[in-house]
């Protein structure tokens, strides 16, 4: 690892953290992708499936699969929109709100065993995300969404 470029170290660390976190999340019927979706819903409130997919920067079909899993575990509900019958409004359930809190604690426990300061790591990663989002985003909304998600 001493000769690995920084990008490889960062992506390997991210995969290892995500794998460890996913093992813990499975106990409450969540995945990393599901946590991202329910965290956005917790922070932003109900929105359409298409809006949620756009907000987290995934394809609508990918978001649909994630939401089906969340719905089957009782974390969200989807109700047909009254203004556009073709779309569904996605909302968190009480169980989903509890799952968000549990997921946050699980994430802390993943990094808690490392011999680093998790808050310092978090601050550094947020700085990287902000800087890169401002340099490489093609639309202002995408950069704002990335930075908003990083701030959580």
């Amino acid at each position: 690892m001493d000769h690995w470029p920084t990008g490889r170290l960062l992506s390997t660390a991210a995969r290892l953290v995500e794998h460890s976190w996913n093992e813990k999340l499975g106990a409450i019927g969540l995945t990393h992708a599901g946590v991202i979706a329910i965290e956005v819903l917790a922070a932003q409130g109900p929105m359409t499936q298409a809006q949620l997919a756009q907000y987290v920067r995934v394809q609508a079909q990918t978001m649909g699969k994630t939401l089906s899993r969340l719905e089957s575990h009782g974390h969200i509900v989807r109700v047909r929109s009254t203004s556009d019958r073709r779309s569904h409004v996605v909302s968190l359930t009480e169980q989903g709100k509890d799952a968000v809190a549990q997921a946050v604690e699980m994430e802390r426990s993943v990094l808690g065993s490392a011999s680093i300061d998790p808050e310092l790591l978090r601050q550094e990663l947020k700085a990287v995300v902000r800087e890169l989002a401002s340099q490489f985003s093609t639309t202002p909304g995408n950069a704002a969404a990335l930075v908003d998600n990083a701030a959580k």
Side-chain angles (χ1 to χ4, degrees), residues 58-100:
V58 299
Q59 295 294 318
Q61 184 178 9
T62 302
M63 182 55 67
K65 291 176 184 177
T66 298
L67 293 178
S68 290
R69 180 177 172 88
L70 290 170
E71 192 171 38
S72 71
H73 284 90
H75 299 304
I76 60 114
V77 292
R78 290 186 275 190
V79 177
R80 191 162 303 278
S81 172
T82 56
S83 62
D84 180 359
R85 301 291 297 159
R86 295 170 295 166
S87 64
H88 289 87
V89 175
V90 183
S91 302
L92 273 181
T93 62
E94 285 303 314
Q95 185 176 341
K97 292 174 186 174
D98 291 342
V100 170

Side-chain angles (χ1 to χ4, degrees), residues 6-7 9 23-24 27 34 46 48 51-52 72 74 81 84-85 103 118 122 125 137 142-143 146-147 149-151:
T6 302
L9 288 168
E23 283 184 359
K24 294 176 184 300
T48 67
Q51 289 170 322
L52 183 57
S72 71
S81 172
D84 180 359
R85 301 291 297 159
R122 182 175 169 71
L125 291 171
S137 179
N142 289 343
L146 281 173
V147 172
N149 286 336

